[in-house]
Amino acid sequence: MELLLLGGTAFLGREVARAALAGGHDLTCLARGTAPAPGGVTLVTADRDQDDALAPVSGRSWDAVVDLTRQPGHARRAVRDLTTAHWVFVSSANVYVEGPEVDRDEGTPLVEPLEADLMSGMEDYGAAKVACERAFAGSGTSATLVRAGLIGGPGDLSARSGYWPWRFAHPVDGGGQVAVPDDPDFPCALVDVRDLAAWIVAAAQERLDGPFNATGPTTTLAGVLAEAAEVGGSGSRARPIPLELLKELGVNPWAGPRSMPLWIDVPGLRGFATMDTARARAAGLVCRPLAGTLRGALATEEERTGPRPSGLTDDEEREVLAAVGRPGRTPSVRRHTLGS
Ligand SMILES: NC(=O)c1ccc[n+]([C@@H]2O[C@H](COP(=O)([O-])OP(=O)(O)OC[C@H]3O[C@@H](n4cnc5c(N)ncnc54)[C@H](OP(=O)(O)O)[C@@H]3O)[C@@H](O)[C@H]2O)c1
């Protein structure tokens, strides 16, 4: 295929580029070049916030264009300016309205699309992805709309998929305990960046049309933590922390500083991480065992030189473990703030 990838310099885009090259496709990437594209890639540098950014790649007729944007204006101008036989747009589970249900399918109602060309902040993310989907679906050309769940594995700089295996590999003070949310049944899923990338290239080749939920099999937080402990390999054990205590300690859910990743304490979002992926699996999405994804993410964490953007620091981990008491003691809920 003569393939144009709008992106290619970040986490997923770099893997899509690698998969396309490995498949022998003629690949061109377009991005600002904030980070390098993988070796062997032809990178056209342009800023898609500019109206004429796609001019260098608009004179060709592409077999497929893969777009990773989150900005509706980028998607609208791609449809306006490019000639292609097929689109693949990387969308997100955030397109769906909030709901507590696990394993929702592609018929789940969507949030209202963003009218503006640019998001004003991450609170617009779901609406912006819906607006992008509308642009591609309304282009008159077939379009795969890839509604990706949490993406993990090697290169995940967010540390969302790498924190738990890293923490199990590096328990504080050799104490053999890792603080985890006391919510073992919380529904979890993540898709390995390499599996998603391979399927995106296949979707481009096969011209799959319509929306496809794309994440890994639904499991539980306990299941993820057991795999993370195994991958971490230090023999440490999970120490469940009461959710009320986590709240009092100011420990955040999902991602970011002072967080316990992959878990959400909002009842209306309990099923958020999971999706029914029957349609994508029937169309060829194959997900490797979770341990392989966590191993890849751990390798990235071991190479990290700066601060980790998600999870607890060692000091925060010590404070949480100290707050809950020693193993065998009844957990006591105390007034306590991290860092104070
Ligand atoms: N991470 C997750 O767990 C997750 C979950 C669901 C869906 N998704 C979606 O999956 C995709 C992830 O893509 P990604 O990991 O490759 O990275 P990304 O951080 O979303 O960046 C996408 C690409 O767009 C390029 N870009 C951004 N602004 C640009 C501009 N103004 N002009 C030209 N290029 C621009 C970036 O390159 P430059 O900076 O070099 O321009 C980068 O290569 C996104 O669509 C995201 O919304 C992610």
Side-chain angles (χ1 to χ4, degrees):
M1 281 186 294
E2 294 197 17
L3 186 64
L4 174 63
L5 173 58
L6 299 173
T9 56
F11 178 38
L12 175 61
R14 288 175 63 84
E15 279 304 326
V16 174
R18 287 194 190 100
L21 291 178
H25 301 294
D26 175 357
L27 176 70
T28 301
C29 293
L30 182 140
R32 291 166 305 181
T34 308
V41 166
T42 305
L43 178 67
V44 176
T45 54
D47 181 350
R48 296 178 70 190
D49 290 344
Q50 306 299 317
D51 189 67
D52 61 351
L54 298 179
V57 290
S58 63
R60 265 171 89 172
S61 188
W62 302 95
D63 292 316
V65 175
V66 177
D67 197 348
L68 296 160
T69 193
R70 53 187 72 183
Q71 305 293 2
H74 293 185
R76 291 167 186 146
R77 291 194 288 274
V79 168
R80 182 194 70 189
D81 294 344
L82 299 177
T83 306
T84 184
H86 183 75
W87 300 100
V88 179
F89 172 61
V90 180
S91 187
S92 163
N94 288 72
V95 295
Y96 296 123
V97 295
E98 279 188 15
E101 305 87 0
V102 174
D103 293 343
R104 298 190 300 175
D105 68 15
E106 290 86 351
T108 304
L110 306 182
V111 300
E112 286 300 312
L114 189 72
E115 281 182 26
D117 274 348
L118 285 176
M119 299 192 309
S120 51
M122 277 310 282
E123 66 279 5
D124 287 342
Y125 179 59
K129 285 290 195 183
V130 174
C132 294
E133 285 194 4
R134 292 269 168 98
F136 294 113
S139 67
T141 302
S142 57
T144 318
L145 308 176
V146 181
R147 293 179 180 158
L150 183 69
I151 305 168
D156 176 11
L157 298 181
S158 80
R160 287 178 295 188
S161 62
Y163 173 71
W164 292 116
W166 176 82
R167 177 51 78 195
F168 276 100
H170 303 282
V172 290
D173 308 325
Q177 290 189 86
V178 168
V180 307
D182 187 9
D183 194 359
D185 298 329
F186 181 80
C188 287
L190 66 161
V191 62
D192 191 291
V193 66
R194 296 160 290 189
D195 299 336
L196 183 60
W199 186 67
I200 284 170
V201 174
Q205 201 154 18
E206 289 162 32
R207 298 185 184 169
L208 300 177
D209 200 19
F212 293 82
N213 289 340
T215 192
T218 296
T219 178
T220 60
L221 184 61
V224 173
L225 294 172
E227 295 282 4
E230 184 76 23
V231 167
S234 69
S236 314
R237 298 170 67 94
R239 176 77 159 119
I241 311 294
L243 304 189
E244 191 185 342
L245 179 57
L246 289 180
K247 208 171 203 169
E248 291 186 20
L249 293 171
V251 174
N252 297 308
W254 191 244
R258 279 191 307 187
S259 67
M260 289 198 169
L262 309 186
W263 158 79
I264 310 172
D265 62 349
V266 180
L269 293 175
R270 194 153 176 89
F272 170 73
T274 69
M275 287 187 286
D276 177 343
T277 57
R279 198 166 137 77
R281 283 184 281 114
L285 173 65
V286 177
C287 292
R288 74 193 61 207
L290 182 58
T293 305
L294 297 178
R295 249 192 307 278
L298 175 59
T300 295
E301 293 308 322
E302 297 292 13
E303 287 167 9
R304 189 184 286 280
T305 50
R308 185 163 287 101
S310 296
L312 299 181
T313 64
D314 285 356
D315 283 348
E316 290 164 347
E317 174 83 352
R318 282 187 194 101
E319 291 201 47
V320 171
L321 289 171
V324 78
R326 293 195 179 150
R329 284 174 52 178
T330 308
S332 61
V333 178
R334 291 192 274 142
R335 293 280 154 200
H336 193 98
T337 309
L338 279 179
S340 66

